[in-house]
């Protein structure tokens, strides 16, 4: 007896007894899979025959036929019906109940996201389903085809391909097939293996967002989004059934309400030919990929089932958006609110500029971080981002560094793993609140050629012709470069001079040659191997650095300099980026490219200073606002806010130069013309400066016993002592300037 005959003798329907076997469209495979039914859609009669020949008994070792009820109602159902109550009211004998509200991802904020593989395996084991059982999913008689396609799609993406759809339970009851009522009976649990999710059949939010961005663009893939919700909700004129959720549609999506795909009387899925006509009428191109969506991902599976039944399009390019409109509306609404708040803030700032009292704003540092900054201080960086003290951009090379360090028990490995988790939450939007201060570098946000990066090197660091030849020979032959601080890592060791006499002389003597080798001014130069190079001094097809930048730093410097000089950013953002690193070699090279760079401790000090300055300005603003005065009236009362420079000397107070008759240049006396005599105890006595002329001669040696320091180096020959206004000679009043002795 053959295997086929043996199976028929045990009661199962053979592939040949039901005509041609059901050929699955999934995955684009051409291999025929032998099933118990001829099609994905099962009629009530076919299910009745299968149940009579292969019932779900405990002792059966052959694949059994198990009906599964997937009854589910909308949250705003006018009659307050639930799936469990409908299952208890009428069901197919031996049926099991699949609760859509229970078998899902409970950690997700969205209603019906796919469960984890472990949750799925546990649920099917509790329902008494085996891996090789034929599962036939059906809906309620009230709604017809509605939620059952979602359950059958869930089984398919988790690898249970022997799943079918009853078309439908209303016809089952109308045609007189048996039903039962009452509470759910207990079934013997099975050990269902943990499956692997087929992610190629599931579309994520980020993927749909890219599809919406590319809609209508020339050269785009042209992925089609089909929306199964009613037209009013798609158009935004009818409300959503969930409170607080706005209606509308994903940009570029096509409205295809699922009632158009079912019979209005029997609520069964339409025949294949009619389904194909509907898809063509909606303008769906079978040659392009298709993504189905709805409110929460339930009725979107009806479109997927209709495409499968009509054999319309390539099933390997058909996906279902799991979060659907609920996820899209909530996530884009948060982004829209954040954008609106930002726009309101910008508008308020412009309005305040026209007023005398302007509210202070806190400076936000736009930082680009490398791996050393994150592994040394990821906790501080997370705190600063949460406090909106900084925004960070993470280059791709930094992510590679973190990925290489994530394994291990050292502190830097722990920090690397924490940084990766932080970036994942920031980009997925699962953090509370949504992190807006973190941005990842896109693959296109860098210069295509390294030579474009070297164009931004400060001129004083460009090597001479001989130094460039040395670098090229080192790259070709692998020979080490002689110790030259301008060609090395950029850090000068303490025990080595920065340059030798010969090298210094060669550098100074090659200043003219340096200008001739600058890529901004040289049209073309020769490679040491004889090959022509482009005008930027960079060999074609490689990333060798003309100035000796290590390969490990080129990606980081490329990202920073692109953001500093790219036209994609506004004038306020250009040049405002700050590189944060704890690596001294990286800091040295960044300074050579005129990049603002700080260590973590320096950034911490800058943030603290800005915070103190902001609080001072805010306090002064509130004080001026309550007094009704101007902010500038009291600017000098706080040392942090003192912006006025000290008063400059009045005109005429600074000494001027004049040329004497003998050709010597001397200083004119400064203003004022009269000063107090330094040798007088009387502070009201004034002396005039003597006129500086050719008759003045230097005084003799200063008396060592005198404390008098006459500021005038000249005196008139005929005048030995100055006479005070009182007529008393200075010597008589002061004891000739000597120290008084008792």
């Amino acid at each position: 007896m053959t295997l086929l005959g043996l199976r028929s003798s045990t009661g199962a329907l053979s592939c040949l007894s039901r005509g041609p076997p059901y050929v699955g469209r999934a995955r684009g495979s051409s291999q025929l899979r032998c099933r118990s039914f001829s099609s994905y859609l099962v009629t009530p009669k076919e299910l009745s025959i299968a149940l009579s020949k292969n019932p779900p008994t405990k002792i059966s070792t052959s694949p059994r036929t198990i009906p599964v009820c997937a009854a589910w109602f909308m949250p705003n159902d006018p009659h307050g019906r639930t799936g469990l109550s409908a299952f208890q009211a009428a069901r197919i004998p031996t049926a099991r109940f699949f609760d859509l509200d229970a078998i899902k991802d409970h950690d997700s904020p969205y209603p019906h996201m796919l469960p984890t593989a472990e949750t799925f395996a546990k649920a099917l084991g509790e329902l008494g389903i085996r891996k090789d059982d034929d599962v036939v999913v059906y809906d309620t008689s009230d709604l017809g085809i509605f939620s059952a396609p979602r359950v059958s799609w869930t089984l398919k993406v988790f690898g249970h391909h022997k799943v079918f759809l009853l078309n439908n339970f209303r016809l089952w009851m109308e045609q007189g097939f048996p039903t039962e009522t009452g509470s759910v009976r207990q079934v013997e649990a099975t050990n269902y293996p943990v499956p692997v999710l087929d992610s190629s059949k599931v579309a994520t939010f980020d993927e749909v967002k890219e599809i919406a961005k590319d809609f209508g663009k020339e050269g785009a893939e042209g992925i089609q989004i089909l929306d199964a919700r009613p037209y009013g909700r798609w158009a935004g004129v009818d409300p959503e059934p969930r409170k607080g959720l706005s209606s509308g549609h994903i940009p570029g999506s096509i409205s295809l309400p699922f009632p158009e795909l079912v019979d209005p009387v029997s609520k069964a899925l339409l025949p294949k030919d009619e389904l194909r006509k509907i898809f063509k009428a909606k303008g769906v191109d079978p040659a392009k990929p298709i993504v189905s969506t709805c409110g929460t991902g339930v009725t979107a599976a009806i479109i997927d089932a209709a495409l499968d039944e009509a054999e319309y399009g390539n099933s390997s390019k058909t996906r279902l958006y799991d979060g659907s409109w609920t996820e899209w509306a909530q996530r884009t609404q948060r982004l829209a609110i954040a954008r609106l708040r930002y726009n309101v803030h910008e508008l308020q700032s412009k309005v305040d500029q026209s007023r005398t009292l302007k509210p202070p704003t806190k400076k936000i540092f736009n930082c680009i971080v490398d791996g050393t900054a994150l592994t040394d201080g990821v906790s501080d960086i997370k705190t600063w981002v949460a406090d909106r003290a900084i925004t960070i951009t993470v280059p791709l090379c930094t992510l590679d560094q973190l990925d290489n360090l994530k394994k291990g028990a050292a502190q830097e490995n722990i920090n690397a793993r924490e940084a990766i988790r932080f970036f994942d939450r920031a980009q997925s939007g699962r953090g509370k609140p949504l992190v807006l201060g973190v941005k990842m570098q896109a693959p296109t946000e860098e210069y295509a050629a390294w030579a474009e990066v070297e164009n931004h090197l400060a001129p004083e660091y460009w090597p001479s012709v001989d130094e460039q030849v040395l670098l090229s020979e080192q790259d070709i032959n692998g020979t080490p470069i002689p110790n030259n601080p301008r060609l090395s890592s950029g850090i000068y060791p303490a025990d080595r001079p920065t340059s030798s006499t010969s090298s210094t002389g060669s550098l100074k003597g090659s200043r003219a040659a340096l200008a001739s080798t600058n890529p901004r001014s040289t049209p073309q130069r020769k490679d040491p191997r004889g090959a022509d190079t482009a005008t930027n001094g960079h060999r074609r097809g490689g990333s060798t650095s003309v100035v000796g930048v290590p390969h490990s730093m080129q990606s980081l410097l490329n990202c920073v300099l692109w953001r500093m000089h790219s036209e994609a950013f506004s004038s306020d953002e250009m040049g405002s980026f700050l590189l944060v690193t704890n690596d001294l070699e990286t800091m040295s090279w960044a300074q050579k490219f005129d990049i603002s760079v700080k260590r973590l401790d320096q950034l911490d000090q800058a943030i603290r200073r800005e915070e103190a300055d902001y609080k001072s300005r805010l306090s002064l603003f509130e004080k001026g606002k309550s007094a009704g005065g101007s902010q500038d009236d009291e600017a000098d009362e706080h040392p942090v806010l003192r912006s006025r420079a000290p008063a400059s000397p009045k005109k005429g107070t600074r000494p001027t130069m004049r040329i004497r008759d003998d050709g010597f240049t001397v200083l004119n006396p400064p203003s004022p013309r009269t000063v107090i005599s330094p040798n007088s105890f009387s502070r009201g006595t004034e002396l005039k400066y003597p006129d500086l002329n050719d008759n003045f001669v230097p005084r003799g040696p200063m008396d060592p016993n005198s404390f008098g320091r006459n500021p005038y180096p000249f005196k008139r020959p005929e005048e030995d002592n100055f006479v005070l206004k009182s007529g008393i000679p200075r010597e008589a009043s002061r004891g000739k300037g000597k120290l008084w002795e008792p």
Side-chain angles (χ1 to χ4, degrees):
M1 182 180 293
T2 63
L3 179 62
L4 181 60
L6 178 63
R7 185 177 180 185
S8 299
S9 65
T10 60
L13 293 177
S14 68
C15 297
L16 299 178
S17 64
R18 296 299 305 157
Y22 167 58
V23 181
R25 293 189 323 117
R27 313 299 301 157
S29 173
S30 60
Q31 182 181 2
L32 300 181
R33 290 193 293 270
C34 186
R35 301 290 180 86
S36 299
F37 302 99
S38 60
S39 173
Y40 173 59
L41 293 182
V42 178
T43 64
K45 183 178 180 180
E46 290 175 334
L47 176 58
S48 177
I49 296 174
L51 288 174
S52 63
K53 291 187 177 182
N54 196 15
T57 60
K58 298 180 182 180
I59 61 175
S60 175
T61 58
S62 337
R64 306 169 301 172
T65 301
I66 298 180
V68 173
C69 177
W72 180 79
F73 294 90
M74 296 289 289
N76 63 339
D77 184 71
H79 305 289
R81 295 169 296 182
T82 63
L84 182 59
S85 63
F87 175 76
Q88 294 174 344
R91 62 178 178 268
I92 298 175
T94 70
R96 320 290 165 82
F97 178 64
F98 190 101
D99 192 353
L100 269 174
D101 290 328
I103 307 175
K104 63 177 183 178
D105 184 3
H106 292 276
D107 295 331
S108 174
Y110 311 112
H112 297 122
M113 300 295 283
L114 281 171
T116 62
E118 293 76 11
T119 302
F120 175 82
K122 181 181 178 181
L124 263 65
E126 292 175 350
L127 294 177
I129 299 176
R130 301 171 185 170
K131 182 69 175 178
D132 58 349
D133 285 340
D134 293 331
V135 178
V136 180
V137 190
Y138 69 93
D139 281 292
T140 64
S141 60
D142 296 335
L143 301 181
I145 294 293
F146 183 62
S147 55
R150 168 71 186 197
V151 175
S152 63
W153 176 82
T154 301
L155 267 68
K156 284 195 293 184
V157 297
F158 276 112
H160 195 111
H161 296 293
K162 299 178 69 175
V163 59
F164 306 91
L165 187 64
L166 178 62
N167 196 26
N168 60 8
F169 186 56
R170 175 180 291 189
L171 294 179
W172 173 279
M173 297 183 66
E174 291 178 354
Q175 294 174 12
F177 291 101
T179 61
E180 64 179 9
T181 60
S183 59
V184 182
R185 73 175 74 180
Q186 294 295 327
V187 296
E188 183 179 0
T190 61
N191 187 17
Y192 196 93
V194 177
V196 177
L197 175 68
D198 185 4
S199 58
S200 65
K201 302 297 293 180
V202 185
T204 63
F205 172 80
D206 293 332
E207 292 172 338
V208 176
K209 183 171 66 173
E210 293 301 320
I211 296 172
K213 286 183 178 179
D214 294 340
F215 173 71
K217 292 184 179 180
E218 184 178 356
E221 189 177 1
I223 301 177
Q224 305 162 104
I225 301 177
L226 306 183
D227 197 328
R229 294 176 300 152
Y231 178 81
R233 291 165 57 189
W234 178 89
V237 295
D238 293 339
E240 290 290 323
R242 290 166 183 82
K243 295 182 179 180
L245 192 66
S246 60
S247 57
H249 62 271
I250 301 172
S253 62
I254 301 173
S255 176
L256 180 56
F258 76 89
E260 298 182 11
L261 303 175
V262 299
D263 185 89
V265 178
S266 65
K267 301 298 181 182
L269 206 63
L270 293 174
K272 179 186 302 185
D273 294 338
E274 295 186 28
L275 292 175
R276 296 180 66 88
K277 291 179 181 179
I278 293 175
F279 289 129
K280 289 182 180 179
K282 293 291 183 178
V284 181
D285 189 349
K288 294 182 179 180
I290 299 174
V291 174
S292 56
T293 181
C294 60
T296 62
V298 175
T299 58
I302 300 178
I303 296 179
D304 187 81
L307 291 170
D308 190 281
E309 175 65 17
E311 298 180 359
Y312 195 86
N314 187 350
S315 65
S316 63
K317 297 182 179 180
T318 301
R319 292 177 291 171
L320 188 147
Y321 179 20
D322 195 19
S324 288
W325 177 252
T326 301
E327 180 185 23
W328 177 271
Q330 290 186 12
R331 295 186 65 172
T332 54
Q333 189 174 22
R334 285 199 300 267
L335 293 175
I337 291 174
R339 241 183 249 113
L340 179 61
R341 289 176 178 173
Y342 178 79
N343 294 335
V344 170
H345 174 73
E346 290 295 317
L347 180 61
Q348 185 66 32
S349 299
K350 293 180 180 180
V351 172
D352 291 339
Q353 289 178 0
S354 60
R355 300 177 180 176
T356 304
L357 291 176
K358 300 179 181 179
T361 56
K362 184 189 298 185
K363 178 181 178 181
I364 300 178
F365 297 89
N366 298 321
C367 302
I368 302 176
V369 294
D370 74 338
T372 61
L374 291 166
T375 54
D376 290 347
V378 63
S379 299
D380 293 333
I381 292 176
K382 289 170 59 178
T383 302
W384 294 334
V385 171
D387 295 341
R388 299 201 66 184
I390 65 172
T391 61
I392 61 173
T393 300
V394 185
L396 297 177
C397 59
T398 299
L399 295 177
D400 293 337
Q401 294 174 1
L402 296 176
D403 186 68
N404 294 333
L405 292 173
K406 66 181 180 181
K407 295 182 179 179
Q411 186 61 43
E412 67 174 3
N413 306 120
I414 297 174
N415 291 346
R417 292 192 291 270
E418 183 179 355
I420 292 174
R421 289 193 298 268
F422 172 63
F423 295 146
D424 181 65
R425 290 194 302 269
Q427 293 302 305
S428 63
R430 295 180 181 178
K432 295 181 180 181
L434 183 65
V435 181
L436 297 178
V438 180
K439 176 178 174 57
M440 300 295 172
Q441 176 198 358
T444 58
E445 294 180 346
E446 62 180 4
Y447 291 109
W450 172 250
E452 300 180 59
V453 180
E454 291 186 337
N455 287 343
H456 300 292
L457 183 70
E460 59 268 22
Y461 294 107
W462 269 92
S464 63
V465 177
D466 296 336
E467 293 168 339
Q468 295 184 36
V469 171
L470 286 176
L471 283 169
S472 301
E473 290 177 349
Q474 187 270 346
D475 179 60
I476 299 168
N477 305 322
T479 58
I481 304 177
N483 288 336
N484 190 323
R486 285 172 49 178
L487 303 180
S488 61
S489 63
I491 302 177
Y492 303 112
D495 57 349
R496 190 184 71 188
T498 57
S499 60
S500 63
T501 305
S502 60
S503 62
T504 304
S506 64
L507 292 177
K508 291 182 179 179
S510 61
R511 183 68 65 181
L514 177 63
S516 64
T517 58
N518 192 315
R520 307 176 204 182
S521 59
T522 305
Q524 188 177 14
R525 68 177 180 87
K526 287 287 185 177
D527 189 280
R529 295 174 289 185
D532 292 338
T533 57
T535 59
N536 52 22
H538 180 62
R539 288 198 304 274
R540 293 169 180 163
S543 61
T544 304
S545 174
V546 175
V547 296
V549 179
H551 287 274
S552 59
M553 298 183 191
Q554 292 184 9
S555 297
L556 178 63
L557 296 177
N558 193 341
C559 172
V560 177
L561 291 169
W562 184 88
R563 300 188 77 82
M564 287 177 57
H565 302 282
S566 174
E567 297 180 356
F569 300 94
S570 63
S571 58
D572 295 336
E573 293 177 314
M574 290 176 62
S576 66
F577 294 98
L578 178 69
L579 175 61
V580 182
T581 178
N582 272 11
D583 182 63
L584 298 179
E585 186 176 4
T586 304
M587 295 182 68
S588 176
W589 277 109
Q591 291 169 356
K592 293 180 181 181
F593 283 90
D594 293 331
I595 299 173
S596 299
V597 60
K598 287 185 183 294
R599 300 189 307 271
L600 281 176
D601 58 327
Q602 294 173 336
L603 178 61
D604 179 63
Q605 294 175 4
I607 292 175
R608 291 176 183 271
R609 287 195 300 267
E610 174 60 27
E611 182 68 23
D613 190 14
Y614 171 74
K615 290 181 179 179
S616 299
R617 286 185 278 114
L618 184 62
S619 175
L620 183 61
F621 168 74
E622 296 295 338
K623 183 178 179 181
K625 185 177 180 180
S626 60
S630 173
Q631 185 175 357
D632 294 332
D633 295 339
E634 303 175 4
D636 292 333
E637 293 186 6
H638 199 285
V640 179
L641 303 178
R642 186 178 294 116
S643 59
R644 297 176 182 174
S648 59
K650 296 182 179 180
K651 294 183 179 180
T653 60
R654 301 182 62 184
T656 57
M657 307 293 293
R658 73 180 182 89
I659 301 177
R660 296 193 317 189
D661 296 338
D662 57 1
F664 288 95
T665 303
V666 295
L667 290 172
N668 281 330
S671 299
R673 290 294 180 178
T674 58
V675 297
I676 299 174
S677 171
N679 297 322
S680 173
F681 286 105
S682 174
R683 288 295 170 251
T685 304
E686 296 181 352
L687 282 177
K688 292 185 177 181
Y689 278 105
D691 294 331
L692 297 179
N693 52 41
D694 297 342
N695 297 326
F696 268 39
V697 296
R699 284 174 180 259
M702 181 176 292
D703 185 357
N705 297 322
S706 172
F707 284 90
R709 293 294 182 265
N710 197 325
Y712 313 121
F714 303 98
K715 75 181 185 72
R716 296 181 184 275
E718 68 275 10
E719 200 171 325
D720 291 331
N721 295 303
F722 292 122
V723 179
L724 303 178
K725 285 187 176 181
S726 59
I728 303 175
R730 184 185 64 178
E731 290 82 355
S733 62
R734 292 289 306 276
K736 298 185 179 180
K738 294 182 179 180
L739 182 63
W740 176 76
E741 297 177 2

